[in-house]
Amino acid sequence: MFLSPYFTKQDQSVFISAQQASDFAKKVAEDFNPIHDVGAKRFCVPGDLLFALVLTEYGLSQNMQFKFAGMVGDNVELHLDKNVTDQFSICDTKGKEYLHIERQGEVCKCDVQTAAFIKSYVAFSGLNFIHVLMPMMKQHQVMINPDRPLVIYESMSFHLDHFDFSTMSLHLAEQSLVINGKRGDVTLTFELHSEGKVIGSGVKTLVLSGLREYDAEKAQQMCDRYENRKKS
């Protein structure tokens, strides 16, 4: 499975080092958020890596809902139960919960379909900051703190009509930003496409924190820093 370089498994325990998390963010998801850098003061494992880990371990269900409950740090020991129901959580060995999962429908455990879904989803995530979030902030004349940009991955759900696919792509269908003081709630609705046909849909929610008045110059500097990190 292509995900194996990005975590270490020992029996039912999984460890994700800062280097593995950073490599996944940059090489797979093309996510250059500084919070995923090795040595970052507020380092955390990308939510997309936890999402991908769940699909790798438990299979791809036709309907799935993911809700994030906490941020995973460097080499936290996560426990993966062998037998789970249609509602379960990813926790560490102390019982702290990081991700809640619900699932319904048929389950596919084929590596081809699972890898295609993971790769398409994380590629979609990698485009969000520059191509989706920044234009939305400009439209609403608000922005996150350019000195400490923080976008929190809150939840994601999807439905698949069937598993008859070997490639997939995600296409943004709708987007919205609801502002409540210094908090912004983002909802992204997407379609799942394969060979030119829509085979499913999904919704992703994020939280923008520390909102302030939009400053075009600082917003551009934030975009430039992000793009320079990507190039380097």
Side-chain angles (χ1 to χ4, degrees), residues 10-224:
Q10 298 175 1
D11 297 322
Q12 293 310 115
S13 291
V14 164
F15 304 84
I16 302 172
S17 70
Q19 188 64 61
Q20 287 173 315
S22 181
D23 287 346
F24 175 88
K26 296 171 178 61
K27 296 178 181 179
V28 180
E30 293 195 4
D31 179 354
F32 298 90
N33 189 329
I35 203 169
H36 304 316
D37 287 353
V38 176
K41 185 176 181 180
R42 305 173 72 183
F43 169 83
C44 76
V45 171
D48 283 344
L49 179 49
L50 295 182
F51 158 76
L53 179 62
V54 169
L55 296 190
T56 301
E57 289 294 310
Y58 299 108
L60 176 65
S61 295
Q62 277 190 285
N63 299 285
M64 300 190 80
Q65 300 85 40
F66 299 80
K67 187 171 180 61
F68 289 87
M71 295 190 291
V72 178
D74 179 21
N75 268 319
V76 170
E77 183 176 357
L78 301 173
H79 180 70
L80 301 183
D81 289 331
K82 286 184 178 180
N83 301 310
V84 295
T85 63
D86 288 340
Q87 295 185 24
F88 63 99
S89 298
I90 302 300
C91 309
D92 61 21
T93 52
K94 297 179 181 178
K96 181 179 178 180
E97 298 180 338
Y98 295 95
L99 180 61
H100 303 300
I101 303 101
E102 294 186 25
R103 57 183 184 170
Q104 305 85 30
E106 296 181 22
V107 180
C108 171
K109 293 193 175 182
C110 174
D111 284 351
V112 173
Q113 279 90 345
T114 303
F117 190 98
I118 292 171
K119 290 177 180 179
S120 62
Y121 182 75
V122 299
F124 172 77
S125 293
L127 297 173
N128 284 342
F129 184 71
I130 294 294
H131 299 283
V132 179
L133 298 182
M134 291 304 298
M136 289 179 73
M137 286 188 271
K138 181 179 181 180
Q139 177 188 350
H140 290 269
Q141 287 297 293
V142 296
M143 64 186 292
I144 54 179
N145 185 345
D147 298 319
R148 290 190 299 171
L150 183 60
V151 178
I152 300 170
Y153 190 178
E154 187 177 54
S155 68
M156 195 274 275
S157 62
F158 65 83
H159 162 76
L160 279 167
D161 295 336
H162 56 75
F163 297 120
D164 185 18
F165 64 88
S166 57
T167 61
M168 180 181 288
S169 58
L170 273 70
H171 298 261
L172 183 64
E174 295 180 15
Q175 60 196 60
S176 69
L177 169 59
V178 177
I179 300 169
N180 184 11
K182 293 186 176 182
R183 173 188 170 114
D185 293 299
V186 176
T187 302
L188 306 178
T189 303
F190 56 87
E191 294 178 341
L192 303 168
H193 290 206
S194 180
E195 298 182 355
K197 297 180 180 179
V198 177
I199 63 167
S201 60
V203 178
K204 178 177 182 177
T205 66
L206 307 101
V207 175
L208 308 180
S209 62
L211 291 181
R212 71 271 324 276
E213 185 178 351
Y214 187 81
D215 183 312
E217 182 178 354
K218 290 183 178 180
Q220 186 58 53
Q221 291 172 354
M222 191 160 47
C223 289
D224 290 344

